Amino acid sequence: MSLLPVTEAQERLFALAPRVNAERVPLGAAAGRWLAEDVVATRTQPSADLSAMDGYAVRFADLPGPLAVVGESAAGRPFAGMIGPGQAVRIFTGAVMPEGADTVMVQEEAARDGDQVRLSGEGPGHAGRNVRPRGLDFTQGDVLIPHGERLNPARIALAAAAGHGTLPVARKLRVAVVASGDELVAPGAPVGAGQLPESNGVMLAAMLGDLPVEVTDLGILPDDLDVMTACFAAIDADILVTSGGASVGDHDLVRPALTAARGAIDFWRIAMRPGKPMMAGRLENAVVLGLPGNPVSAFVTATLFLKPLIAAMAGATNPRPAARTATLGAPLPANDHREDYLRAETRDGRVFAASRQDSSMLQTLARADCLIIRAALAPVAKADDSVQILTLA
């Protein structure tokens, strides 16, 4: 079986994944969720011309004065009358401009004597200065946030200003995580000869911590086909994530167990390093993602496939991780036929690949703040060349 390019594997994975239903939640519960419908403004912002500064609302044609101060306009307490020729209204930032006024003379350039005020500085320069016109931010009916966008604090604030108290978002996905291998023991448990602590489960849960998911850790499965098959057959989740046991060894039982549980494999083996033995398929209503057992391989494949899968099922417009350009700090050799994801650190504005890239080395991963992407068959790269990177949280 030939190796699948990363982008083709991502497309095939997304094709396996149905979008989940939507639910309406309060704004306070919407952070990190993906919008199921456009956010449309129900009002105009600002709803009236507002002062952008503390000072005096005036008619520009009347400057430099003197002008008679006939009242005050504050935020939430607008001036009730109309400004006539030779008149001014004391006004504060965010207050509604009185009818008849077209400009704000800032208080630093105003000289007041009793109920009289005049311009004492350079002045506003033109009519409309220091005024936020009605509709400056948005107008009723504007599409402010398109569906498929993820809600961050600024977008939630925008929705609130637009008149919304709740938003329609994709429901939380249920993700079941399970590790396999007779050699694994739970974190913190005594480690005997030939054993090692299972670290992928807690790592994956941490990677998904800021996503709208409910993670169930099913623990460690032994290398026993019947036990593994029974576990898979009982799964009730949107996504089943396994780690380990997805290769071709005698004790790699994830694929036969998935088949025995009436699941189906869609693809297996990716043209990438680390992470080649990743697989994907379906099991009843769940998408199955079989990650490699080596922790770095599991991390990289979760970055490129698991997190984007969750985003795609939630209706994200752009589910793939966003790469950015960086400057290389040291040369890199030519690459072979597999796309490479090198653990790297940023120092003095440049990225440096770790000298050792073994997929079992968690310490190197813990020190990395990005992954350098090396395309298949990429030529030698020199220091100061531009490279594409994925930033790690």
Side-chain angles (χ1 to χ4, degrees), residues 237-370:
D238 299 301
I239 302 173
L240 168 63
V241 185
T242 68
S243 66
S247 192
V248 294
D250 292 342
H251 300 285
D252 292 317
L253 302 177
V254 169
R255 291 190 300 140
L258 178 63
T259 302
R262 304 182 67 177
I265 298 167
D266 185 87
F267 63 86
W268 174 57
R269 304 209 312 164
I270 315 299
M272 62 182 292
R273 182 190 302 107
K276 181 179 76 172
M278 195 202 79
M279 70 162 202
R282 295 276 307 181
L283 177 62
E284 296 294 339
N285 296 320
V287 180
V288 179
L289 199 58
L291 307 183
N294 273 334
V296 176
S297 300
F299 180 92
V300 173
T301 49
T303 299
L304 292 172
F305 294 96
L306 176 56
K307 294 178 75 172
L309 171 63
I310 291 168
M313 293 180 72
T317 303
N318 298 304
R320 290 186 177 86
R324 66 178 180 87
T325 301
T327 301
L328 196 59
L332 294 173
N335 196 20
D336 62 13
H337 64 286
R338 284 196 279 166
E339 193 162 276
D340 220 345
Y341 292 84
L342 305 174
R343 284 156 283 169
E345 294 182 66
T346 303
R347 299 194 297 270
D348 299 324
R350 287 173 165 75
V351 292
F352 296 80
S355 58
R356 301 178 68 181
Q357 293 286 332
D358 188 281
S359 62
S360 67
M361 296 179 63
L362 274 171
Q363 187 172 185
T364 306
L365 177 62
R367 291 173 177 168
D369 58 19
C370 64

Side-chain angles (χ1 to χ4, degrees), residues 6-242:
V6 170
T7 53
E8 182 179 342
Q10 288 172 325
E11 285 298 329
R12 287 179 62 167
L13 180 63
F14 298 157
L16 291 174
R19 290 191 178 182
V20 298
N21 296 332
E23 61 182 3
R24 186 169 285 274
V25 301
L27 293 185
R33 308 286 285 269
W34 277 274
L35 270 174
E37 299 173 11
D38 294 345
V39 173
V40 178
T42 66
R43 56 180 298 278
T44 296
Q45 176 72 14
S47 57
D49 293 349
L50 303 180
S51 176
M53 303 287 285
D54 290 343
Y56 293 86
V58 301
R59 303 189 331 164
F60 180 76
D62 289 342
L63 293 178
L67 307 172
V69 180
V70 295
E72 179 181 285
S73 182
R77 292 185 288 106
F79 177 71
M82 177 176 179
I83 287 184
Q87 294 181 334
V89 164
R90 179 76 168 111
I91 198 165
F92 301 92
T93 303
V96 173
M97 290 288 291
E99 187 178 353
D102 58 16
T103 302
V104 172
M105 175 175 62
V106 298
Q107 64 184 25
E108 292 84 357
E109 296 184 339
R112 183 167 178 174
D113 182 11
D115 290 335
Q116 297 287 311
V117 67
R118 62 176 297 113
L119 178 67
S120 62
E122 293 183 2
H126 58 80
R129 189 71 182 272
N130 304 318
V131 176
R132 296 183 180 128
R134 180 180 186 275
L136 174 65
D137 198 354
F138 53 80
T139 301
Q140 183 178 356
D142 287 350
V143 175
L144 301 181
I145 315 171
H147 69 276
E149 293 294 322
R150 196 174 181 200
L151 290 164
N152 58 22
R155 288 171 177 159
I156 291 172
L158 176 59
H164 296 276
T166 63
L167 289 174
V169 296
R171 68 161 174 83
K172 291 186 176 182
L173 280 91
R174 298 165 299 139
V175 181
V177 177
V178 63
S180 67
D182 288 340
E183 76 280 13
L184 300 177
V185 298
V191 180
Q195 295 182 319
L196 70 156
E198 200 286 304
S199 58
N200 286 344
V202 290
M203 178 181 71
L204 293 171
M207 291 181 73
L208 305 184
D210 68 338
L211 294 177
V213 297
E214 297 171 351
V215 179
T216 301
D217 190 341
L218 300 177
I220 302 167
L221 294 179
D223 291 324
D224 183 303
L225 181 59
D226 291 338
V227 172
M228 198 173 292
T229 300
C231 177
F232 290 173
I235 291 296
D236 181 19
D238 299 301
I239 302 173
L240 168 63
V241 185
T242 68

